Amino acid sequence: MRFVTCSLPGAGSGPAILSPDGTAVTPLHWLGLDYDTLWEAIPFLTPQVRSGLSLALTGLPSLPPDMATFSSPIPAPAQDVICLGINYMDHSDEAEKYSAEAFATRHQDAIYFSKRVTQAVPDGGFIEAHTDLVQKLDYECELAVVLGKDARDVPAGQSREYVFGYTILNDVSARDVQTAHKQWYFGKSLDGFTPMGPCIVTADEFDTYPPRLGIRSFVNGEKRQDSNTGLQIFDIDHVICELSRGMTLKAGTIIATGTPAGVGMGMDPPRFLKPGDVVRCEIDGIGSLTNTVRG
Ligand code: MG
């Protein structure tokens, strides 16, 4: 099932279901679920509830997507996004080449950091260049995991039931700000630095866990990243089990699982984003997320 957040004429703004073929949108409140945000609804959208919703949808009216204005599925996450750093081997190589001091790792332990997302950027929205502050603006196409229920002390191999679904997240990064400070937080968290969407696809839509999905990005139509989420060094099960040891991960938690090789700092010479550039991120089974850099 695909969940979006959108505003519709006569239906207000809020969470909605997008049909599998993408041709119909049904607000959740038409199904008797009066949640203002998808974040609030997620703990209640269990597999059982979703089965019921699927049945109920067949008898309900819907609206065509071109009548809707889409936001990011979770436009204002209640907590910072948890991110994995250096989680694909080929990206590790390119990052270390760019700055061994900032990125060298022996991969013994996962690298976690967080990203402030005051307002997630929707598909079609703008990445803010912050040219007064940032000279080295970069993109990172990532698979983001959204948890469906509170997770604490999850045993290895048993994290699947905690995953609500997946979306695409572009972990936009100011390399100069990121590496100037000891921690990456500031350089990852500027306003307009988190395109996320276009929808959340529930985990049951994917055969494998963790899912092995083609992941790609393009800048102005030129392919830059082309990999598979099955190549992650620390997979989703490892991450949820490890992070839930002694720390409660709330339902709705978003975890960005790292980016493969092909980012701007990895090119020779590095090629950073500038105003007017168009970045498209794609993940098989989810869709694409296209954003223009704005100066
Ligand atoms: Mg990243």
Side-chain angles (χ1 to χ4, degrees):
M1 191 167 267
R2 290 172 176 257
F3 289 94
V4 293
T5 293
C6 62
S7 59
L8 288 158
S13 179
I17 297 171
L18 183 67
S19 65
D21 62 2
T23 61
V25 181
T26 307
L28 278 191
H29 73 83
W30 286 9
L31 291 146
L33 296 172
D34 285 322
Y35 296 102
D36 291 334
T37 67
L38 193 50
W39 174 281
E40 293 167 278
I42 279 173
F44 300 93
L45 294 169
T46 61
Q48 293 77 8
V49 168
R50 298 201 304 266
S51 301
L53 293 178
S54 292
L55 293 172
L57 275 172
T58 55
L60 273 182
S62 60
L63 292 166
D66 57 8
M67 289 181 69
T69 303
F70 290 91
S71 307
S72 178
I74 300 178
Q79 296 179 308
D80 288 354
V81 171
I82 297 172
C83 302
L84 270 285
I86 313 294
N87 201 30
Y88 290 78
M89 203 55 82
D90 56 359
H91 176 61
S92 177
D93 293 342
E94 68 174 2
E96 186 171 346
K97 211 172 290 177
Y98 178 74
S99 171
E101 185 188 353
F103 299 113
T105 170
R106 287 190 287 166
H107 311 289
Q108 288 167 316
D109 296 291
I111 297 171
Y112 299 117
F113 63 97
S114 59
K115 182 175 177 80
R116 173 62 52 94
V117 186
T118 301
Q119 192 74 42
V121 178
D123 181 37
F126 292 98
I127 295 166
E128 301 295 341
H130 298 276
T131 50
D132 56 334
L133 177 65
V134 178
Q135 274 73 55
K136 297 177 176 176
L137 185 69
D138 212 344
Y139 52 89
E140 295 186 351
C141 178
E142 306 196 9
L143 176 70
V145 181
V146 182
L147 299 190
K149 58 180 183 177
D150 293 358
R152 173 72 198 261
D153 297 328
V154 178
Q158 292 181 35
S159 63
R160 186 174 193 160
E161 64 178 287
Y162 293 88
V163 175
F164 176 71
Y166 305 99
T167 189
I168 307 169
L169 188 149
N170 185 348
D171 178 20
V172 175
S173 305
R175 299 301 180 199
D176 38 359
V177 181
Q178 180 185 358
T179 54
H181 299 270
K182 181 72 180 166
Q183 298 199 355
W184 299 352
Y185 190 71
F186 184 28
K188 297 276 191 172
S189 297
L190 302 183
D191 290 350
F193 267 25
T194 310
M196 183 166 60
C199 58
I200 295 174
V201 183
T202 53
D204 53 6
E205 298 278 321
F206 301 92
D207 294 334
T208 55
Y209 182 78
R212 292 188 286 273
L213 307 172
I215 178 170
R216 294 169 295 279
S217 74
F218 303 81
V219 176
N220 302 327
E222 176 189 331
K223 189 188 282 181
R224 295 286 184 87
Q225 297 179 283
D226 188 0
S227 186
N228 190 288
T229 60
L231 295 173
Q232 291 174 358
I233 298 168
F234 298 100
D235 70 15
I236 294 167
D237 186 68
H238 175 99
V239 168
I240 292 173
C241 297
E242 182 165 76
L243 282 178
S244 69
R245 288 180 66 189
M247 177 166 76
T248 302
L249 302 173
K250 297 287 291 176
T253 292
I254 302 165
I255 303 172
T257 57
T259 201
V263 299
M265 74 170 171
M267 305 185 79
D268 186 17
R271 290 168 68 187
F272 295 107
L273 296 172
K274 57 187 187 309
D277 283 348
V278 177
V279 184
R280 187 170 89 248
C281 298
E282 293 179 353
I283 298 181
D284 293 342
I286 301 175
S288 67
L289 178 66
T290 303
N291 301 94
T292 302
V293 179
R294 180 163 69 182

